[in-house]
Amino acid sequence: MQRWIIHVDMDAFFAAVEQRDDPALRGRPVVVGGVGPRGVVSTASYEARRFGVHSAMPMSEARRLCPHAVFMPGDHRKYTRVAGEIRAILAAFSPLVEPLSLDEAFLDASGMEWLYKDPKDIAAAIKAKIRDELALTASAGVAPNKFLAKLASDWGKPDGLVVVRHDEIAAFLRAMPVSRLWGAGEKTVALLKGIGINTIGQLADADEVILRRHFGQQAGEMRRLARGEDDRPVVPEHEPKSIGNEVTFDEDLRSRDDIGTCLLALSQKVGRRLRQAGYAGRTVTVKIRFGSFRTITRSRTLGEATLLGDTIYETAQAIMADIELAEGVRLLGVTLSNLQVYGSQTSLFATDDDKKLKASVAVDHLKDKFGEGAITRGRLMPKKEK
DNA sequence: TCTGGGGTCCTAGGACCC
DNA sequence: TCTGGGGTCCTAGGACCC
């Protein structure tokens, strides 16, 4: 059976939601991202992109390029809610929907000929429904596999609908820059350019031995993609492998006391997210980025899984105690991995931890009800000026 | 232009067991 | 005293994606 994959990708998602909800922003350049001194752009509206503003660019540069834009931190909760509404729309078209992020998803539309004579009609119907019900535009790509569908959705942006049929694959790929290849980032692209490979067509025709010499095992996979071959299935459900939080400070931290306070806040946040998601984890990883941007991770695996902020914090502090602080700390992160599903009926804890868990859950409920600020530790209260 | 925060996957070395 | 190979788990770093 012929496989048909649709990739749906929202246009300038965060900025588009803001413009939809505030008419004063429509037609104006809008930049959503970190508004602090070290922020970066997360989404730029198309009006802002015309000035060269794009995702991952430092906010300071965005301000320089487009000073009259509206800069805002954005509202992640709102975007998550809208993403849920988009998913509900997609789910009505196929049971096989794989979200890639808040604003894009793959959909397997194979074998739906009895409903739609052409897969292009399904993509058009999805776009229309998103426009009519949510007042947002999406771009869609339709192709025999994920890689091509993703390239296709990008090709028509914004508000595009591009179909790549079997006999069009080679022509579609040939002239594309190799940077469009899934998994080829800055380093890989530089390496490829170094051996004279600039387009996907050139990669498809490249010498096997030379490719293998530079990319080892990956060479085969790269080449298959370059030829438009990709048999990865659309997988609706993924178990998470890790849950973590990290934060970059406006100014580098220097005291171990401040670092400890921050680790406590991060640990509690991670614990709460674990409980919400129903997971416990065994490996605690602390990530530190120093002022020089040198970044290290140190991890410790516990004998049994935990979902308690206190346990995560104690472990993080023990890890921290072994780290030398020769320079200021720019970023701190705490991540739990080695996850396992935690059903509330399965008590994998000693009774003492069980009590702590009950207390944590009680606090969770209060926060659910009254907001995140309702209850917090004395240590985490904002410092009062004297 | 000084570089976010959420992740996934891969590699490579070492410990440890049989 | 010197030397095996396979398997698994853990740790650290890095590339990459949105």
Side-chain angles (χ1 to χ4, degrees):
Chain A
M1 185 184 64
Q2 159 80 60
R3 228 161 60 106
W4 281 111
I5 308 298
I6 301 176
H7 180 251
V8 178
D9 194 347
M10 301 301 294
D11 301 318
F13 184 49
F14 296 174
V17 170
E18 296 304 334
Q19 288 176 317
R20 178 193 74 174
D21 294 347
D22 181 357
L25 298 178
R26 291 179 203 161
R28 296 185 61 188
V30 172
V31 180
V32 178
V35 292
R38 288 169 168 177
V40 300
V41 175
S42 94
T43 316
S45 72
Y46 280 87
E47 295 87 351
R49 292 185 196 189
R50 278 198 281 279
F51 292 85
V53 179
H54 59 79
S55 301
M57 167 184 280
M59 216 53 161
S60 54
E61 193 189 355
R63 286 182 196 277
R64 197 175 50 74
L65 290 172
C66 192
H68 61 292
V70 178
F71 295 90
M72 47 200 307
D75 179 349
H76 219 79
R77 288 206 165 171
K78 178 155 83 173
Y79 309 145
T80 304
R81 180 165 49 73
V82 179
E85 292 163 0
I86 295 164
R87 266 167 220 176
I89 289 176
L90 296 181
F93 286 88
S94 166
L96 285 178
V97 177
E98 177 181 344
L100 265 189
S101 64
L102 280 186
D103 74 323
E104 55 182 292
F106 286 112
L107 199 136
D108 193 330
S110 310
M112 295 182 73
E113 296 82 1
W114 56 281
L115 260 179
Y116 294 85
K117 71 177 194 316
D118 190 313
K120 183 175 185 174
D121 298 339
I122 305 178
I126 291 172
K127 278 167 55 75
K129 204 159 188 213
I130 290 174
R131 182 185 1 93
D132 296 345
E133 293 186 7
L134 302 178
L136 293 167
T137 67
S139 293
V142 185
N145 63 49
K146 282 181 161 184
F147 171 55
L148 292 169
K150 191 155 161 50
L151 282 181
S153 73
D154 210 51
W155 194 248
K157 271 189 162 298
D159 201 18
L161 203 189
V162 173
V163 183
V164 179
R165 298 177 197 279
H166 260 110
D167 53 353
E168 302 166 334
I169 295 175
F172 179 67
L173 286 177
R174 194 130 289 270
M176 287 231 187
V178 83
S179 56
R180 306 297 292 276
L181 208 72
W182 177 265
E186 202 184 338
K187 307 276 176 182
T188 305
V189 169
L191 258 173
L192 283 167
K193 289 202 168 148
I195 55 176
I197 296 175
N198 294 288
T199 66
I200 293 188
Q202 287 171 334
L203 178 59
D205 298 337
D207 184 271
E208 185 83 39
V209 178
I210 295 180
L211 273 188
R212 200 161 290 284
R213 194 182 307 148
H214 285 87
F215 300 99
Q217 298 289 357
Q218 301 171 43
E221 183 55 31
M222 273 173 56
R223 249 274 265 289
R224 272 190 291 281
L225 285 183
R227 291 176 173 172
E229 299 162 15
D230 173 17
D231 54 13
R232 290 171 299 170
V234 172
V235 184
E237 298 284 345
H238 289 283
E239 293 282 329
K241 302 276 196 296
S242 66
I243 291 180
N245 284 91
E246 62 183 55
V247 60
T248 294
F249 310 109
D250 290 352
E251 282 174 32
D252 295 353
L253 254 44
R254 298 203 160 268
S255 89
R256 287 204 178 257
D257 204 43
D258 289 347
I259 288 169
T261 304
C262 179
L263 287 178
L264 175 59
L266 289 168
S267 301
Q268 298 297 353
K269 221 185 243 183
V270 171
R272 179 152 154 74
R273 288 182 58 209
L274 283 167
R275 294 189 292 276
Q276 276 171 338
Y279 290 91
R282 284 177 56 222
T283 304
V284 178
T285 301
V286 172
K287 174 175 168 182
I288 301 176
R289 174 166 291 150
F290 296 102
S292 63
F293 226 71
R294 182 173 71 96
T295 307
I296 63 169
T297 60
R298 293 290 179 269
S299 59
R300 204 161 284 190
T301 298
L302 306 171
E304 51 188 43
T306 186
L307 35 51
L308 293 176
D310 287 354
T311 306
I312 298 169
Y313 171 62
E314 284 156 21
T315 312
Q317 275 292 54
I319 291 171
M320 195 66 222
D322 289 342
I323 297 175
E324 197 193 343
L325 291 181
E327 48 175 330
V329 172
R330 178 192 175 94
L331 168 150
L332 277 177
V334 173
T335 295
L336 225 75
S337 56
N338 243 317
L339 301 185
Q340 56 193 71
V341 174
Y342 176 76
S344 49
Q345 72 286 359
T346 59
S347 182
L348 36 109
F349 295 108
T351 48
D352 204 36
D353 276 1
D354 232 27
K355 278 184 202 155
K356 287 185 188 165
L357 176 56
K358 288 205 176 91
S360 295
V361 169
V363 172
D364 290 347
H365 286 321
L366 285 171
K367 286 186 174 176
D368 286 342
K369 218 167 164 181
F370 300 112
E372 292 295 327
I375 287 203
T376 188
R377 280 155 207 266
R379 190 169 178 196
L380 298 179
M381 294 286 285
K383 284 196 186 115
K384 296 230 169 63
E385 300 296 329
K386 287 196 179 157

